[in-house]
Amino acid sequence: MLTYIVRRLLAAVGLLLVISLITFWIFFVLPQWAGQTPQSMAAGYVGRQQNPAALQAVIDHFGFDKPLFVQYFDYIVGIVGGRTYSDGVSLIHCNAPCFGYSFKNFEQVWPTLLSRAPVTLSIAIGAGVLWLVFGVLSGVISAVRKGSIADRASMGIALAGVALPVYFVGPLLEALTGQWSTKYVPFLSNPLQWAQHLLIPWIALAFGYAALYARMTRAGMLDALNEDFVRTARAKGVKERKVLYKHALRSALTPIITIFGMDLGTVLGGAVLLEVAFSLPGLGLLAVNSIQQDDFPVIMGVTLIAAFFIVVANIVVDVLYAFVDPRVRLS
């Protein structure tokens, strides 16, 4: 198991390097291939408030006048080891991990990401617990009571959850709950208010995911209940509750774990629609604002953080396979 985890971590590092190369290629290489000069590229980072010193500072910081491989090497070294840059007036040192500097907000990217991450993390954890618990529970009930009113009602709600987007469900819930506040309160400041203010966003985000999980769990449970090992367990006189939860559900959870890891990793990278709908200052809203402002260093930082969460989620999922389903062997 330890050897497998080490191999997966090394593979994850390689994958993150590939993602960083693609991100670098999109933001640095494509504009130069399109004919932009170092000055025109620097103007995109500085914004409207331009002066020769600021433009030259951006060119020196990103190395727009250097070969592309040198620019990429400096970019990676800057993330790992930090770097010193100039805003045209003074020198500023960016400690590792250094994801760059926003010349439009005059802030380092990494502290900005850290300040937004707790909001997105809170949204992802709360909504993830809701959609996993209620989705799997609804799917199990529907499978056990196939064809019943509960089954039809559950699948009807699941169909509505898949069809309705979060930017519709969110305002609808706000309208139904009246003046329920959805502002973000740090968990350490007041855990009760933290949960209270995020309850509506959690439900709005979890509604669609839970519907999908309910349908997947129901299909997996129905397939598992028709397997030979389930019929054998019943023939041996194993209690029906044990057959359902230890044998059938455990088998049906394998695809659920896969999709849960991917979904949770994606939400950790920023629940864009939800954060915009509720004006929650997370990574998703930061990405949207940065795109509107053409703040490329921040966009690159959010992209890399989102990729990191997805890669880590995949590693955790692979490790959990062996515990959920003993038939899965790590090779």
Side-chain angles (χ1 to χ4, degrees), residues 69-235:
F69 72 90
V70 176
Q71 295 182 40
Y72 178 69
F73 178 78
D74 291 341
Y75 175 65
I76 295 299
V77 171
I79 294 177
V80 177
R83 64 188 307 176
T84 300
Y85 48 81
S86 171
D87 59 1
V89 178
S90 58
L91 294 177
I92 302 174
H93 182 71
C94 179
N95 296 319
C98 178
F99 283 83
Y101 179 80
S102 172
F103 287 88
K104 296 191 174 182
N105 297 324
F106 303 102
E107 296 176 345
Q108 297 182 31
V109 174
W110 179 244
T112 302
L113 296 177
L114 285 182
S115 66
R116 300 297 189 98
V119 180
T120 300
L121 185 64
S122 299
I123 295 172
I125 292 176
V129 171
L130 287 180
W131 84 58
L132 182 63
V133 172
F134 287 99
V136 172
L137 183 60
S138 299
V140 171
I141 295 174
S142 296
V144 173
R145 301 182 179 180
K146 180 182 178 182
S148 66
I149 296 179
D151 178 25
R152 295 175 182 177
S154 177
M155 290 302 100
I157 296 174
L159 181 61
V162 173
L164 297 177
V166 66
Y167 54 82
F168 174 81
V169 176
L172 178 62
L173 289 174
E174 282 191 308
L176 292 176
T177 54
Q179 301 298 319
W180 192 292
S181 175
T182 57
K183 68 179 182 179
Y184 176 74
V185 176
F187 176 79
L188 296 179
S189 298
N190 192 317
L192 182 60
Q193 289 188 6
W194 169 82
Q196 178 183 350
H197 291 305
L198 288 178
L199 181 60
I200 297 301
W202 285 344
I203 296 175
L205 181 61
F207 185 50
Y209 283 107
L212 177 62
Y213 281 51
R215 294 169 65 90
M216 289 186 59
T217 303
R218 180 181 185 274
M221 284 288 292
L222 290 177
D223 289 340
L225 289 173
N226 292 322
E227 292 289 344
D228 292 337
F229 68 89
V230 172
R231 286 194 289 266
T232 301
R234 283 172 171 167

